[in-house]
Amino acid sequence: MSTWGVREDSAHSFIQIYDSFIHWYWYWLLVRRRRRKRKSNSEVMMWPFSRKGASGFSSSSTALDVTHGIDATGLTAIVTGASSGIGTETTRVLALRGAHVVMGVRNMTVGKEVKEAIIKEIPSAKVEAIELDLSSTDSVKKFASEFNATGLPLNILINNAGIMACPFSLSKDNTELQFATNHIGHFLLTNLLLDNMKKTARESKKEGRIVNVSSEAHRFAYPEGIRFDKINDQSSYNNWRAYGQSKLANILHANELTRHLKEDGVDITANSLHPGAIFTNLFRYNAAVNGIVNVFGRLVLKNVQQGAATTCYVALHPQVKGISGKYFSDSNEAKAAPLASDPDLAKRLWDFSTNLIK
């Protein structure tokens, strides 16, 4: 083991640092060259020199930008991990556009505070909070049961919650924690809410949308992609590759779900996305990375308003209508890693996940 708590033969810590910070430093140098002014010490600077993609949006676009003029009145959405970061901003913007949003939160005290803050800003907002711990299948089942008991329809499911690069541990159901929280919990939640979404799509004649928040870290999963036979193997555990594995699973899940939905002939899409490198508390499990983020992050990372943009774009924008099984970044379609497009791997993951939640 290295001093960073990562297996030295993987060299993954170096890969991750390169992927996550070298380009940030490069942007920082460009910012200095252009002598751009910071808005304030408390604000995160917008990414410079962003080029708009085919959608008309870029990495600098915010959630408000990509939903401008969109009326989500009459839609009901669930957002997991809604008590902080881009989950909170996603909830706020969807509510602002008229959607009824149900937040899935681990900490109900914080969840209620977020709800009250949103309603204070937007008096007309329809926001609810239900307890949800994605690392526990019992909690996921309880959440789904409570939501379905409300009688609310469900148009949009945003699988946003996640943990990143934490030390090895097992979930309450004895599954490696990152895989359990980031993938299995959302896989089960989606399955339990799918009948509601199908009914809603059929009765409302409005397209349902399932959005999996993944990450570019999916490119740095284990070489084989998903370690089906070593999910709980502590001796070969690498916190960053395990995170990449869980994010790869998010994309594969959306792709295989797309196949199932098309076979069922229902008007529901499933897509995945990379929100961008964002200044949030996701880095809390790695002191070295967190330190670099604190030094350089506020100069060049996306803020939460920009970080929530792609999620809101995929969830609401009419440009995404009818598109399913795709990967998005900076509010544009993007190309995922080859493993993420492997249909056999996606099917194997589906079957593996189904067995885990039985």
Side-chain angles (χ1 to χ4, degrees):
M1 297 289 287
S2 72
T3 56
W4 285 40
V6 180
R7 289 179 63 90
E8 293 177 319
D9 60 354
S10 72
H12 186 263
S13 59
F14 298 106
I15 296 173
Q16 180 65 29
I17 289 174
Y18 174 81
D19 176 67
S20 301
F21 301 114
I22 293 300
H23 65 288
W24 299 344
Y25 180 64
W26 173 245
Y27 280 130
W28 177 69
L29 291 176
L30 291 174
V31 171
R32 285 173 60 89
R33 186 176 301 171
R34 291 287 184 94
R35 296 179 181 178
R36 295 231 175 159
K37 295 180 180 179
R38 298 182 205 172
K39 292 182 179 179
S40 72
N41 290 332
S42 62
E43 285 187 287
V44 181
M45 194 171 202
M46 294 179 69
W47 282 45
F49 321 125
S50 301
R51 292 185 177 181
K52 292 181 179 180
S55 68
F57 303 112
S58 71
S59 60
S60 293
S61 300
T62 66
L64 287 177
D65 293 335
V66 303
T67 59
H68 179 72
I70 295 176
D71 184 3
T73 303
L75 300 180
T76 302
I78 287 176
V79 181
T80 69
S83 60
S84 65
I86 63 173
T88 296
E89 179 64 5
T90 298
T91 299
R92 185 185 76 87
V93 172
L94 263 59
L96 179 66
R97 300 309 182 206
H100 185 165
V101 186
V102 177
M103 304 186 298
V105 298
R106 269 192 312 177
N107 187 322
M108 282 297 290
T109 299
V110 176
K112 289 176 181 177
E113 291 173 355
V114 170
K115 171 186 172 181
E116 291 169 2
I118 292 174
I119 292 176
K120 183 177 180 180
E121 178 192 351
I122 312 166
S124 62
K126 296 179 180 178
V127 182
E128 311 293 338
I130 300 178
E131 185 175 6
L132 173 63
D133 178 357
L134 286 156
S135 69
S136 165
T137 55
D138 285 343
S139 178
V140 174
K141 291 174 183 177
K142 185 172 181 291
F143 174 91
S145 178
E146 287 186 26
F147 176 81
N148 287 330
T150 66
L152 287 170
L154 182 58
N155 306 91
I156 302 166
L157 172 60
I158 299 177
N159 293 320
N160 166 78
I163 56 175
M164 184 173 77
C166 58
F168 179 85
S169 62
L170 296 177
S171 70
K172 295 175 182 177
D173 303 295
N174 293 316
T175 302
E176 188 275 308
L177 191 60
Q178 292 192 83
F179 191 76
T181 304
N182 298 351
H183 169 62
I184 293 298
H186 284 129
F187 180 86
L188 174 59
L189 180 66
T190 302
N191 282 4
L192 294 174
L193 296 173
L194 204 51
D195 283 344
N196 188 326
M197 290 198 73
K198 289 178 179 179
K199 179 182 178 183
T200 300
R202 185 172 60 251
E203 294 181 353
S204 68
K205 300 191 184 309
K206 294 179 181 179
E207 179 183 80
R209 296 188 183 184
I210 297 170
V211 183
N212 283 358
V213 179
S214 180
S215 167
E216 278 293 281
H218 80 274
R219 302 181 190 278
F220 302 112
Y222 295 104
E224 63 270 44
I226 309 295
R227 307 186 90 185
F228 296 105
D229 299 325
K230 295 183 179 180
I231 286 293
N232 293 344
D233 184 3
Q234 185 174 1
S235 65
S236 61
Y237 178 79
N238 177 298
N239 58 344
W240 284 110
R241 288 202 184 275
Y243 176 66
Q245 172 180 249
S246 70
K247 296 290 97 180
L248 174 62
N250 292 154
I251 302 174
L252 293 169
H253 173 214
N255 293 352
E256 182 65 8
L257 180 56
T258 291
R259 189 178 69 80
H260 284 256
L261 293 170
K262 287 182 178 179
E263 286 182 354
D264 292 343
V266 294
D267 191 17
I268 300 173
T269 62
N271 292 292
S272 56
L273 63 91
H274 169 55
I278 306 160
F279 194 90
T280 71
N281 64 355
L282 266 181
F283 296 102
R284 64 189 179 274
Y285 290 109
N286 191 296
V289 174
N290 192 50
I292 298 174
V293 168
N294 283 328
V295 172
F296 295 105
R298 294 189 182 278
L299 291 171
V300 292
L301 296 184
K302 284 186 177 184
N303 58 33
V304 292
Q305 292 80 17
Q306 295 162 331
T310 305
T311 301
C312 291
Y313 174 77
V314 176
L316 287 182
H317 207 283
Q319 289 179 351
V320 189
K321 181 175 175 58
I323 296 175
S324 193
K326 298 297 183 180
Y327 178 70
F328 291 79
S329 180
D330 295 333
S331 302
N332 284 274
E333 280 192 44
K335 187 175 179 61
L339 278 173
S341 302
D342 185 335
D344 294 329
L345 185 61
K347 186 179 186 308
R348 187 179 178 191
L349 175 64
W350 183 280
D351 294 340
F352 180 79
S353 304
T354 300
N355 288 330
L356 276 183
I357 63 175
K358 283 182 178 179

mmCIF file of all heavy atoms in Angstrom, residues 99-131:
data_model
loop_
_atom_site.group_PDB
_atom_site.id
_atom_site.type_symbol
_atom_site.label_atom_id
_atom_site.label_comp_id
_atom_site.label_asym_id
_atom_site.label_seq_id
_atom_site.Cartn_x
_atom_site.Cartn_y
_atom_site.Cartn_z
ATOM 1 N N ALA A 99 -42.251 22.155 -11.167
ATOM 2 C CA ALA A 99 -42.377 20.732 -10.845
ATOM 3 C C ALA A 99 -42.614 20.525 -9.352
ATOM 4 O O ALA A 99 -42.161 21.319 -8.517
ATOM 5 C CB ALA A 99 -41.123 19.982 -11.276
ATOM 6 N N HIS A 100 -43.322 19.469 -9.031
ATOM 7 C CA HIS A 100 -43.481 19.030 -7.642
ATOM 8 C C HIS A 100 -42.316 18.085 -7.367
ATOM 9 O O HIS A 100 -42.208 17.040 -8.007
ATOM 10 C CB HIS A 100 -44.815 18.309 -7.469
ATOM 11 C CG HIS A 100 -45.124 17.928 -6.065
ATOM 12 N ND1 HIS A 100 -46.390 17.541 -5.650
ATOM 13 C CD2 HIS A 100 -44.352 17.868 -4.945
ATOM 14 C CE1 HIS A 100 -46.375 17.261 -4.355
ATOM 15 N NE2 HIS A 100 -45.143 17.441 -3.913
ATOM 16 N N VAL A 101 -41.442 18.464 -6.443
ATOM 17 C CA VAL A 101 -40.217 17.703 -6.228
ATOM 18 C C VAL A 101 -40.218 16.999 -4.872
ATOM 19 O O VAL A 101 -40.489 17.624 -3.839
ATOM 20 C CB VAL A 101 -38.970 18.612 -6.319
ATOM 21 C CG1 VAL A 101 -37.698 17.760 -6.249
ATOM 22 C CG2 VAL A 101 -38.985 19.428 -7.602
ATOM 23 N N VAL A 102 -39.913 15.719 -4.898
ATOM 24 C CA VAL A 102 -39.757 14.945 -3.672
ATOM 25 C C VAL A 102 -38.273 14.647 -3.498
ATOM 26 O O VAL A 102 -37.650 14.025 -4.365
ATOM 27 C CB VAL A 102 -40.564 13.636 -3.720
ATOM 28 C CG1 VAL A 102 -40.317 12.808 -2.457
ATOM 29 C CG2 VAL A 102 -42.052 13.937 -3.874
ATOM 30 N N MET A 103 -37.719 15.110 -2.403
ATOM 31 C CA MET A 103 -36.298 14.920 -2.128
ATOM 32 C C MET A 103 -36.076 13.630 -1.350
ATOM 33 O O MET A 103 -36.736 13.390 -0.339
ATOM 34 C CB MET A 103 -35.753 16.090 -1.298
ATOM 35 C CG MET A 103 -35.968 17.461 -1.898
ATOM 36 S SD MET A 103 -35.145 18.759 -0.923
ATOM 37 C CE MET A 103 -36.003 18.603 0.646
ATOM 38 N N GLY A 104 -35.147 12.824 -1.816
ATOM 39 C CA GLY A 104 -34.725 11.650 -1.062
ATOM 40 C C GLY A 104 -33.478 12.030 -0.285
ATOM 41 O O GLY A 104 -32.451 12.348 -0.885
ATOM 42 N N VAL A 105 -33.558 12.036 1.042
ATOM 43 C CA VAL A 105 -32.442 12.527 1.860
ATOM 44 C C VAL A 105 -32.136 11.563 3.006
ATOM 45 O O VAL A 105 -33.044 10.967 3.588
ATOM 46 C CB VAL A 105 -32.745 13.930 2.435
ATOM 47 C CG1 VAL A 105 -32.925 14.945 1.309
ATOM 48 C CG2 VAL A 105 -33.987 13.911 3.328
ATOM 49 N N ARG A 106 -30.864 11.429 3.334
ATOM 50 C CA ARG A 106 -30.474 10.591 4.475
ATOM 51 C C ARG A 106 -30.766 11.292 5.791
ATOM 52 O O ARG A 106 -31.200 10.673 6.755
ATOM 53 C CB ARG A 106 -28.978 10.258 4.403
ATOM 54 C CG ARG A 106 -28.653 8.988 3.679
ATOM 55 C CD ARG A 106 -27.228 8.576 3.881
ATOM 56 N NE ARG A 106 -26.279 9.670 3.678
ATOM 57 C CZ ARG A 106 -24.975 9.560 3.865
ATOM 58 N NH1 ARG A 106 -24.468 8.407 4.257
ATOM 59 N NH2 ARG A 106 -24.174 10.576 3.642
ATOM 60 N N ASN A 107 -30.481 12.578 5.850
ATOM 61 C CA ASN A 107 -30.647 13.364 7.078
ATOM 62 C C ASN A 107 -31.899 14.219 6.953
ATOM 63 O O ASN A 107 -31.907 15.231 6.246
ATOM 64 C CB ASN A 107 -29.406 14.240 7.292
ATOM 65 C CG ASN A 107 -29.423 14.952 8.637
ATOM 66 O OD1 ASN A 107 -30.457 15.399 9.111
ATOM 67 N ND2 ASN A 107 -28.243 15.081 9.251
ATOM 68 N N MET A 108 -32.959 13.823 7.632
ATOM 69 C CA MET A 108 -34.229 14.528 7.506
ATOM 70 C C MET A 108 -34.176 15.935 8.083
ATOM 71 O O MET A 108 -34.876 16.833 7.614
ATOM 72 C CB MET A 108 -35.336 13.721 8.180
ATOM 73 C CG MET A 108 -35.822 12.546 7.344
ATOM 74 S SD MET A 108 -36.570 13.068 5.758
ATOM 75 C CE MET A 108 -38.094 13.836 6.340
ATOM 76 N N THR A 109 -33.332 16.146 9.088
ATOM 77 C CA THR A 109 -33.211 17.493 9.653
ATOM 78 C C THR A 109 -32.674 18.450 8.601
ATOM 79 O O THR A 109 -33.213 19.549 8.403
ATOM 80 C CB THR A 109 -32.279 17.489 10.880
ATOM 81 O OG1 THR A 109 -32.826 16.623 11.875
ATOM 82 C CG2 THR A 109 -32.128 18.893 11.448
ATOM 83 N N VAL A 110 -31.609 18.035 7.925
ATOM 84 C CA VAL A 110 -31.032 18.855 6.858
ATOM 85 C C VAL A 110 -32.013 18.969 5.695
ATOM 86 O O VAL A 110 -32.171 20.040 5.092
ATOM 87 C CB VAL A 110 -29.692 18.268 6.370
ATOM 88 C CG1 VAL A 110 -29.143 19.064 5.194
ATOM 89 C CG2 VAL A 110 -28.682 18.243 7.510
ATOM 90 N N GLY A 111 -32.682 17.870 5.373
ATOM 91 C CA GLY A 111 -33.658 17.874 4.293
ATOM 92 C C GLY A 111 -34.770 18.884 4.523
ATOM 93 O O GLY A 111 -35.169 19.610 3.601
ATOM 94 N N LYS A 112 -35.251 18.961 5.742
ATOM 95 C CA LYS A 112 -36.310 19.922 6.068
ATOM 96 C C LYS A 112 -35.803 21.353 5.976
ATOM 97 O O LYS A 112 -36.528 22.266 5.562
ATOM 98 C CB LYS A 112 -36.857 19.630 7.468
ATOM 99 C CG LYS A 112 -37.694 18.351 7.530
ATOM 100 C CD LYS A 112 -38.151 18.040 8.947
ATOM 101 C CE LYS A 112 -38.962 16.756 8.987
ATOM 102 N NZ LYS A 112 -39.375 16.383 10.377
ATOM 103 N N GLU A 113 -34.539 21.547 6.354
ATOM 104 C CA GLU A 113 -33.947 22.886 6.249
ATOM 105 C C GLU A 113 -33.843 23.323 4.789
ATOM 106 O O GLU A 113 -34.117 24.480 4.457
ATOM 107 C CB GLU A 113 -32.569 22.904 6.915
ATOM 108 C CG GLU A 113 -32.610 22.764 8.429
ATOM 109 C CD GLU A 113 -31.222 22.619 9.042
ATOM 110 O OE1 GLU A 113 -30.246 22.532 8.266
ATOM 111 O OE2 GLU A 113 -31.122 22.591 10.285
ATOM 112 N N VAL A 114 -33.435 22.389 3.928
ATOM 113 C CA VAL A 114 -33.340 22.683 2.494
ATOM 114 C C VAL A 114 -34.727 22.995 1.939
ATOM 115 O O VAL A 114 -34.917 23.962 1.187
ATOM 116 C CB VAL A 114 -32.708 21.507 1.732
ATOM 117 C CG1 VAL A 114 -32.836 21.702 0.223
ATOM 118 C CG2 VAL A 114 -31.240 21.358 2.114
ATOM 119 N N LYS A 115 -35.690 22.198 2.321
ATOM 120 C CA LYS A 115 -37.075 22.415 1.870
ATOM 121 C C LYS A 115 -37.563 23.797 2.276
ATOM 122 O O LYS A 115 -38.122 24.548 1.454
ATOM 123 C CB LYS A 115 -37.982 21.341 2.467
ATOM 124 C CG LYS A 115 -39.469 21.579 2.242
ATOM 125 C CD LYS A 115 -40.314 20.564 2.985
ATOM 126 C CE LYS A 115 -41.796 20.925 2.912
ATOM 127 N NZ LYS A 115 -42.629 19.947 3.657
ATOM 128 N N GLU A 116 -37.346 24.162 3.530
ATOM 129 C CA GLU A 116 -37.795 25.459 4.023
ATOM 130 C C GLU A 116 -37.094 26.605 3.310
ATOM 131 O O GLU A 116 -37.710 27.640 3.008
ATOM 132 C CB GLU A 116 -37.562 25.552 5.539
ATOM 133 C CG GLU A 116 -38.483 24.629 6.332
ATOM 134 C CD GLU A 116 -38.087 24.526 7.803
ATOM 135 O OE1 GLU A 116 -37.115 25.211 8.197
ATOM 136 O OE2 GLU A 116 -38.745 23.772 8.536
ATOM 137 N N ALA A 117 -35.800 26.426 3.019
ATOM 138 C CA ALA A 117 -35.044 27.469 2.327
ATOM 139 C C ALA A 117 -35.574 27.679 0.908
ATOM 140 O O ALA A 117 -35.685 28.823 0.436
ATOM 141 C CB ALA A 117 -33.565 27.105 2.289
ATOM 142 N N ILE A 118 -35.915 26.582 0.235
ATOM 143 C CA ILE A 118 -36.438 26.678 -1.129
ATOM 144 C C ILE A 118 -37.808 27.356 -1.125
ATOM 145 O O ILE A 118 -38.081 28.245 -1.944
ATOM 146 C CB ILE A 118 -36.511 25.292 -1.786
ATOM 147 C CG1 ILE A 118 -35.103 24.744 -2.035
ATOM 148 C CG2 ILE A 118 -37.296 25.351 -3.106
ATOM 149 C CD1 ILE A 118 -35.069 23.321 -2.556
ATOM 150 N N ILE A 119 -38.651 26.952 -0.193
ATOM 151 C CA ILE A 119 -39.993 27.535 -0.123
ATOM 152 C C ILE A 119 -39.930 29.009 0.266
ATOM 153 O O ILE A 119 -40.738 29.824 -0.201
ATOM 154 C CB ILE A 119 -40.869 26.739 0.863
ATOM 155 C CG1 ILE A 119 -41.136 25.336 0.286
ATOM 156 C CG2 ILE A 119 -42.183 27.458 1.133
ATOM 157 C CD1 ILE A 119 -41.901 24.420 1.214
ATOM 158 N N LYS A 120 -38.959 29.366 1.091
ATOM 159 C CA LYS A 120 -38.787 30.774 1.463
ATOM 160 C C LYS A 120 -38.423 31.599 0.237
ATOM 161 O O LYS A 120 -38.904 32.721 0.050
ATOM 162 C CB LYS A 120 -37.705 30.915 2.528
ATOM 163 C CG LYS A 120 -37.529 32.346 3.021
ATOM 164 C CD LYS A 120 -36.484 32.422 4.125
ATOM 165 C CE LYS A 120 -36.318 33.862 4.619
ATOM 166 N NZ LYS A 120 -35.293 33.942 5.699
ATOM 167 N N GLU A 121 -37.565 31.039 -0.618
ATOM 168 C CA GLU A 121 -37.158 31.737 -1.843
ATOM 169 C C GLU A 121 -38.251 31.698 -2.895
ATOM 170 O O GLU A 121 -38.473 32.675 -3.625
ATOM 171 C CB GLU A 121 -35.895 31.088 -2.415
ATOM 172 C CG GLU A 121 -35.427 31.723 -3.718
ATOM 173 C CD GLU A 121 -34.351 30.920 -4.435
ATOM 174 O OE1 GLU A 121 -33.836 29.952 -3.856
ATOM 175 O OE2 GLU A 121 -34.032 31.272 -5.589
ATOM 176 N N ILE A 122 -38.935 30.528 -2.978
ATOM 177 C CA ILE A 122 -39.972 30.331 -3.995
ATOM 178 C C ILE A 122 -41.264 29.922 -3.285
ATOM 179 O O ILE A 122 -41.529 28.720 -3.098
ATOM 180 C CB ILE A 122 -39.553 29.229 -4.995
ATOM 181 C CG1 ILE A 122 -38.118 29.451 -5.486
ATOM 182 C CG2 ILE A 122 -40.525 29.167 -6.175
ATOM 183 C CD1 ILE A 122 -37.520 28.252 -6.190
ATOM 184 N N PRO A 123 -42.064 30.869 -2.830
ATOM 185 C CA PRO A 123 -43.272 30.554 -2.047
ATOM 186 C C PRO A 123 -44.216 29.564 -2.720
ATOM 187 O O PRO A 123 -44.935 28.827 -2.045
ATOM 188 C CB PRO A 123 -43.936 31.930 -1.881
ATOM 189 C CG PRO A 123 -42.798 32.896 -1.960
ATOM 190 C CD PRO A 123 -41.872 32.319 -2.994
ATOM 191 N N SER A 124 -44.208 29.532 -4.050
ATOM 192 C CA SER A 124 -45.118 28.632 -4.769
ATOM 193 C C SER A 124 -44.561 27.225 -4.936
ATOM 194 O O SER A 124 -45.232 26.345 -5.477
ATOM 195 C CB SER A 124 -45.426 29.211 -6.152
ATOM 196 O OG SER A 124 -44.234 29.319 -6.917
ATOM 197 N N ALA A 125 -43.323 27.012 -4.470
ATOM 198 C CA ALA A 125 -42.661 25.722 -4.676
ATOM 199 C C ALA A 125 -43.385 24.584 -3.977
ATOM 200 O O ALA A 125 -43.862 24.725 -2.850
ATOM 201 C CB ALA A 125 -41.219 25.801 -4.191
ATOM 202 N N LYS A 126 -43.436 23.453 -4.663
ATOM 203 C CA LYS A 126 -43.983 22.226 -4.087
ATOM 204 C C LYS A 126 -42.817 21.278 -3.856
ATOM 205 O O LYS A 126 -42.299 20.669 -4.800
ATOM 206 C CB LYS A 126 -45.010 21.593 -5.025
ATOM 207 C CG LYS A 126 -46.242 22.452 -5.268
ATOM 208 C CD LYS A 126 -47.193 21.751 -6.225
ATOM 209 C CE LYS A 126 -48.429 22.591 -6.483
ATOM 210 N NZ LYS A 126 -49.355 21.933 -7.453
ATOM 211 N N VAL A 127 -42.392 21.172 -2.605
ATOM 212 C CA VAL A 127 -41.221 20.368 -2.266
ATOM 213 C C VAL A 127 -41.518 19.520 -1.037
ATOM 214 O O VAL A 127 -42.064 20.025 -0.051
ATOM 215 C CB VAL A 127 -39.994 21.258 -1.990
ATOM 216 C CG1 VAL A 127 -38.777 20.397 -1.676
ATOM 217 C CG2 VAL A 127 -39.698 22.161 -3.179
ATOM 218 N N GLU A 128 -41.178 18.264 -1.105
ATOM 219 C CA GLU A 128 -41.345 17.352 0.027
ATOM 220 C C GLU A 128 -40.013 16.656 0.293
ATOM 221 O O GLU A 128 -39.145 16.585 -0.583
ATOM 222 C CB GLU A 128 -42.404 16.288 -0.270
ATOM 223 C CG GLU A 128 -43.707 16.816 -0.824
ATOM 224 C CD GLU A 128 -44.477 17.645 0.177
ATOM 225 O OE1 GLU A 128 -44.231 17.480 1.387
ATOM 226 O OE2 GLU A 128 -45.324 18.461 -0.255
ATOM 227 N N ALA A 129 -39.861 16.106 1.494
ATOM 228 C CA ALA A 129 -38.652 15.345 1.833
ATOM 229 C C ALA A 129 -39.043 14.018 2.459
ATOM 230 O O ALA A 129 -39.889 13.969 3.356
ATOM 231 C CB ALA A 129 -37.775 16.139 2.788
ATOM 232 N N ILE A 130 -38.446 12.943 1.966
ATOM 233 C CA ILE A 130 -38.669 11.611 2.511
ATOM 234 C C ILE A 130 -37.303 10.993 2.786
ATOM 235 O O ILE A 130 -36.383 11.103 1.976
ATOM 236 C CB ILE A 130 -39.463 10.711 1.543
ATOM 237 C CG1 ILE A 130 -40.839 11.318 1.237
ATOM 238 C CG2 ILE A 130 -39.634 9.304 2.136
ATOM 239 C CD1 ILE A 130 -41.664 10.501 0.246
ATOM 240 N N GLU A 131 -37.178 10.332 3.910
ATOM 241 C CA GLU A 131 -35.900 9.745 4.291
ATOM 242 C C GLU A 131 -35.494 8.637 3.327
ATOM 243 O O GLU A 131 -36.305 7.787 2.951
ATOM 244 C CB GLU A 131 -35.968 9.197 5.713
ATOM 245 C CG GLU A 131 -34.639 8.684 6.239
ATOM 246 C CD GLU A 131 -34.711 8.250 7.697
ATOM 247 O OE1 GLU A 131 -35.824 8.238 8.263
ATOM 248 O OE2 GLU A 131 -33.655 7.926 8.260
#
